[in-house]
Amino acid sequence: MAPLTFWKPGTVGPGSTFDRASEAEENIVSYAPSSSLLSVQAQRERLPIFKHKLPQYLYEAGWAQDGNVIACTQPRRVAATSVAMRVAAEVGSMLGDEVGYTIRFEDVSNKERTRIRYLTDGMLFREALVDPLLSSYSVIMIDEVHERSVYTDLLLGILKKIRRKRPSLRLIVSSATLDASSLLEYFRADNGPDEAIILSLEGRMYPVEVAYLQEPTPDYVKKAAEVAWDINSRQGPGDILIFLTGREEIDRCLEELAEYLPTRKGNASRLTLLALHAGLTTEEQMRVFQPAERGYRKVIVATNIAEASITIEGIKYVVDCGFVKLRTYNPTTTLSSLAVVPTSLASAVQRAGRAGRTSPGICYRLYPHHVIKTFTKTTPPEVTRTDLTTPILQLKSLGIDDLMKFEWVTPPPAESVLRALEGLVNAGMVDHGGALTEVGQKVAECPVEVNIARMLFSSKDFQCGEEILTIAAMTAVQNVFVIPDGADGALAELERRKFTAEEGDHLTLLNTYNAFVKYGKSSSWCKNHALSFRAMSRAVSIRSQLKKYMQRFGLPLKSCEGDAKRLRQCLVSGYWRNGARWVADGTYRSIRGNIPLHVHPDSVLFTRKPKSGWVVFHEMEETKKIHIRILTEIDPDWLLAHGHKFQEKSRS
DNA sequence: GAGCACTGC
């Protein structure tokens, strides 16, 4: 094999812009003077403040007196729970006592006693729907702001508004990469000197050297395997983490690596090859945490899940392909796309950092150094590349009527806001004057998409609340069916067919759920039927939560008693804009825009033409083609009955 | 005719 040609900045080529990143310690880079928070820092004699300690210091400094609570938000559930556990232990509190957490389906906190409360950003945002001034909190710390999740952005926006009415509320905004001064400006713009904001920059623990490929590679999957093999032959011990964009690439890379195995030289380690992506079972995901056996080196080939969501200790070498699969949303066509695009600079730094968590490491970037100049600084915030229907309904519910005046940290495209409003008006959630309707107010509180909410409400007329509730829960979870590769995959396909309903995927999901419940919600049963126990259990939780909302809204939980026609009519009441017509070549055409649509291979209608020639679908997404997922056959007349507004519009 | 990055309520 030809030697690999890399160069390392600082040793061969010009100095790298990333030298600084490797030295960054966790420290505070910016703060507003004259804030009371500084006294906390002073008490600690300006020792470095570790991020997770901040709420504790505030607690000790008396910020949680008189019934006040210190909140700390995280974009992910695991982070909220694990940080809460750690802090509870450090404070010497039982989890759920002075220190607690609140995530969907799990409230481990005490209304009277909890002083430091960790929650997901979505949960705190939801709390604002009930208590618009978030009046129980004295300090709110928003962590991982650089990730810029939709709910982080919405929270920042409403907190800016809240602070005008309640200046005593202190904010701490913590970000690993975000340009500190611009966010400080965002909050300072119209607030007085009493502002209290700290932005912290967190760094990795050990330096990471960065090496670039001298020539671009035509096939980064193949190259990644080659580099990993080269590391194993020449470099000292330490596990290898490879970043690729998706499952298909991961499997291909593992195959490439497997081919190298017989060529191993005597002094090199044996390799343990592992895949890591969200489609795997929990069991499979856990394997990456097991230390390699003696004489073995782990090679983990992962998607972006390893960039922030899952942290693996002991990684010394990172191989970064420089690309990521990113979702974008086109409001004009309401089409969301999943495309492979170059990573941002921030993302590249983050990936490299994964090599330095337990010792100094090396990151091999599979592109030439000059390419990095073309990278964007950060990934565009989610709010600019997603459907805003639900967020805007919630903002309306918070009394923020003029959405153009809402102070977004980054404003979404105007077209996106308009399209969301249009969708809400069509769905009867917002009236033509832009005000929330009675139904809209209810739906805003209910954690489902607008089209699903419409079905829940119309299930009263079709008398199928019981079934629609299950379908609503099942469409909200991903990766219900786990289909492995190879021979096991074919067997799994056969298992899945046992649940297949002729009418399509929604009824198939319903059958699957009912069977899961009937057979005791067992994990071994799931395994035998190629189902994800995690996904199914989640569906159970979601269903019981939605059930409470239905009861609150006075919606009957009637069963349609096997009358699939009624059930499908009810589906159309929510999906009426997602109709499609079968054409002779096996594809479909959308009723909106006559766009060619391809059935996703997961669908039970992938191999069959629906008798009526018409379907409604849950969602569409563009990858190489435009795919529609979760289909149900319908009678086209039902579209006329429910979608008459659209039909009138299309004729005019 | 053949495929979903990752979160969250």
Side-chain angles (χ1 to χ4, degrees):
Chain A
M1 178 166 69
L4 287 161
T5 46
F6 278 105
W7 63 269
K8 293 172 188 170
T11 55
V12 187
S16 161
T17 47
F18 297 94
D19 291 347
R20 206 162 43 85
S22 66
E23 287 156 19
E25 292 298 324
E26 188 163 16
N27 58 12
I28 290 165
V29 295
S30 174
Y31 54 83
S34 84
S35 98
S36 315
L37 287 179
L38 285 180
S39 64
V40 177
Q41 191 185 12
Q43 278 169 17
R44 299 283 157 179
E45 294 168 339
R46 298 181 193 279
L47 290 171
I49 292 185
F50 292 101
K51 192 176 64 180
H52 87 273
K53 295 262 190 199
L54 262 171
Q56 275 169 258
Y57 295 160
L58 293 163
Y59 176 47
E60 289 163 19
W63 282 87
Q65 283 167 4
D66 309 321
N68 284 311
V69 178
I70 297 159
C72 179
T73 72
Q74 297 289 333
R76 276 175 296 281
R77 296 158 54 90
V78 275
T81 54
S82 61
V83 183
M85 281 180 208
R86 181 172 164 187
V87 172
E90 285 175 15
V91 170
S93 146
M94 286 269 292
L95 195 58
D97 210 45
E98 282 120 310
V99 180
Y101 68 85
T102 308
I103 59 177
R104 190 181 186 185
F105 307 127
E106 264 181 80
D107 184 8
V108 185
S109 72
N110 183 295
K111 220 173 175 178
E112 279 77 43
R113 287 204 302 277
T114 298
R115 302 273 70 93
I116 303 175
R117 190 172 184 205
Y118 288 86
L119 8 61
T120 45
D121 47 18
M123 277 308 269
L124 188 59
F125 182 76
R126 190 156 284 277
E127 222 174 288
L129 294 177
V130 186
D131 175 8
L133 290 181
L134 294 170
S135 55
S136 59
Y137 301 104
S138 54
V139 185
I140 293 174
M141 173 167 169
I142 314 286
D143 201 0
E144 313 289 356
V145 168
H146 60 277
E147 292 189 22
R148 300 295 301 278
S149 75
V150 171
Y151 282 113
T152 294
D153 274 24
L154 290 173
L155 260 184
L156 292 172
I158 63 166
L159 284 171
K160 176 161 179 165
K161 205 175 149 82
I162 289 172
R163 271 191 46 83
R164 270 187 221 128
K165 292 184 181 160
R166 195 160 81 79
S168 62
L169 174 68
R170 293 300 199 275
L171 296 184
I172 299 173
V173 179
S174 167
S175 166
T177 58
L178 195 69
D179 177 25
S181 53
S182 75
L183 201 56
L184 197 58
E185 275 312 301
Y186 170 78
F187 277 107
R188 261 184 178 165
D190 60 355
N191 280 310
D194 211 13
E195 190 57 87
I197 296 169
I198 298 176
L199 295 150
S200 71
L201 175 77
E202 60 181 322
R204 65 182 74 111
M205 288 160 151
Y206 296 92
V208 173
E209 242 183 305
V210 179
Y212 294 87
L213 217 48
Q214 286 189 329
E215 296 295 327
T217 169
D219 183 351
Y220 60 72
V221 175
K222 209 171 168 181
K223 183 62 87 181
E226 195 180 325
V227 170
W229 188 251
D230 191 66
I231 291 168
N232 191 45
S233 314
R234 295 159 197 264
Q235 302 275 17
D239 296 331
I240 304 170
L241 173 63
I242 301 177
F243 281 102
L244 295 176
T245 72
R247 179 181 170 166
E248 198 190 336
E249 285 178 7
I250 289 170
D251 291 344
R252 187 152 67 85
C253 186
L254 287 169
E255 280 168 28
E256 292 276 347
L257 273 165
E259 283 181 28
Y260 282 115
L261 295 181
T263 70
R264 186 178 67 94
K265 299 260 169 43
N267 56 344
S269 302
R270 293 173 193 281
L271 296 183
T272 304
L273 303 180
L274 297 160
L276 179 61
H277 54 80
L280 299 173
T281 63
T282 317
E283 219 176 358
E284 288 167 317
Q285 287 189 356
M286 294 310 276
R287 289 183 58 207
V288 306
F289 296 109
Q290 289 167 10
E293 280 176 57
R294 210 187 152 88
Y296 279 79
R297 188 202 298 265
K298 279 195 291 189
V299 182
I300 299 155
V301 192
T303 60
N304 232 23
I305 196 169
E307 191 180 300
S309 306
I310 289 179
T311 298
I312 312 150
E313 303 296 326
I315 299 293
K316 204 173 171 67
Y317 306 99
V318 162
V319 180
D320 177 9
C321 75
F323 288 90
V324 65
K325 235 177 228 181
L326 203 66
R327 183 189 294 281
T328 54
Y329 175 71
N330 179 342
T332 310
T333 55
T334 70
L335 183 63
S336 95
S337 316
L338 202 58
V340 173
V341 295
T343 59
S344 66
L345 217 58
S347 197
V349 171
Q350 175 77 7
R351 287 180 178 188
R354 295 286 155 173
R357 291 192 62 89
T358 34
S359 66
I362 306 176
C363 172
Y364 298 85
R365 292 185 177 150
L366 301 181
Y367 46 87
H369 183 244
H370 65 85
V371 172
I372 208 152
K373 293 191 199 96
T374 65
F375 286 7
T376 57
K377 211 171 158 196
T378 53
T379 307
E382 194 186 358
V383 81
T384 65
R385 44 188 184 84
T386 194
D387 178 9
L388 294 175
T389 307
T390 302
I392 281 177
L393 179 67
Q394 289 170 331
L395 286 176
K396 287 260 175 202
S397 169
L398 276 165
I400 297 161
D401 275 323
D402 192 344
L403 294 159
M404 293 306 177
K405 281 193 184 156
F406 182 69
E407 291 176 78
W408 305 92
V409 185
T410 302
E415 173 81 16
S416 225
V417 176
L418 291 173
R419 195 45 75 114
L421 277 171
E422 186 191 45
L424 289 168
V425 171
N426 283 337
M429 307 285 164
V430 168
D431 67 26
H432 287 278
L436 216 52
T437 61
E438 203 179 315
V439 176
Q441 184 61 54
K442 288 176 180 167
V443 172
E445 293 167 34
C446 184
V448 287
E449 292 164 44
V450 165
N451 54 3
I452 301 288
R454 288 229 336 164
M455 288 176 216
L456 291 176
F457 277 86
S458 54
S459 71
K460 191 176 179 179
D461 304 328
F462 294 103
Q463 301 190 39
C464 56
E466 185 74 33
E467 288 82 5
I468 284 292
L469 182 56
T470 303
I471 289 170
M474 287 294 280
T475 55
V477 295
Q478 280 99 46
N479 302 316
V480 171
F481 301 103
V482 280
I483 310 289
D485 283 328
D488 288 349
L491 279 174
E493 273 301 333
L494 287 176
E495 282 305 323
R496 204 182 64 152
R497 277 193 207 151
K498 291 179 182 165
F499 309 112
T500 297
E502 199 182 331
E503 294 86 351
D505 298 307
H506 291 93
L507 274 81
T508 301
L509 289 171
L510 177 64
N511 289 344
T512 309
Y513 184 93
N514 289 339
F516 177 64
V517 173
K518 186 178 166 189
Y519 292 101
K521 300 178 189 170
S522 117
S523 93
S524 57
W525 181 85
C526 282
K527 207 171 178 179
N528 293 336
H529 292 81
L531 295 168
S532 160
F533 177 65
R534 184 176 38 175
M536 293 304 300
S537 306
R538 200 167 161 76
V540 172
S541 300
I542 293 173
R543 190 181 188 279
S544 68
Q545 189 192 29
L546 296 183
K547 189 174 172 180
K548 285 180 196 153
Y549 281 97
M550 284 187 78
Q551 285 161 341
R552 174 133 63 91
F553 300 154
L555 299 169
L557 285 158
K558 278 235 169 134
S559 169
C560 66
E561 309 290 352
D563 184 350
K565 185 178 168 185
R566 249 168 38 209
L567 188 51
R568 289 186 296 142
Q569 284 177 311
C570 187
L571 289 173
V572 174
S573 75
Y575 290 132
W576 58 278
R577 287 187 299 170
N578 292 354
R581 174 178 52 88
W582 192 87
V583 291
D585 64 359
T587 64
Y588 286 78
R589 295 291 178 274
S590 63
I591 53 165
R592 284 191 300 172
N594 211 33
I595 302 163
L597 304 170
H598 298 257
V599 180
H600 193 281
D602 279 354
S603 172
V604 298
L605 291 179
F606 181 59
T607 49
R608 278 194 295 120
K609 171 189 187 265
K611 272 178 260 167
S612 70
W614 290 78
V615 293
V616 283
F617 56 88
H618 181 68
E619 60 186 3
M620 60 176 177
E621 186 170 66
E622 185 175 24
T623 48
K624 283 167 194 158
K625 289 186 283 195
I626 302 172
H627 281 112
I628 48 178
R629 284 184 68 251
I630 316 185
L631 283 64
T632 284
E633 180 182 355
I634 56 151
D635 181 329
D637 288 346
W638 301 343
L639 281 174
L640 285 172
H642 296 282
H644 58 92
K645 281 182 204 157
F646 162 76
Q647 297 291 343
E648 280 164 12
K649 212 172 160 186
S650 71
R651 272 201 293 271
S652 60

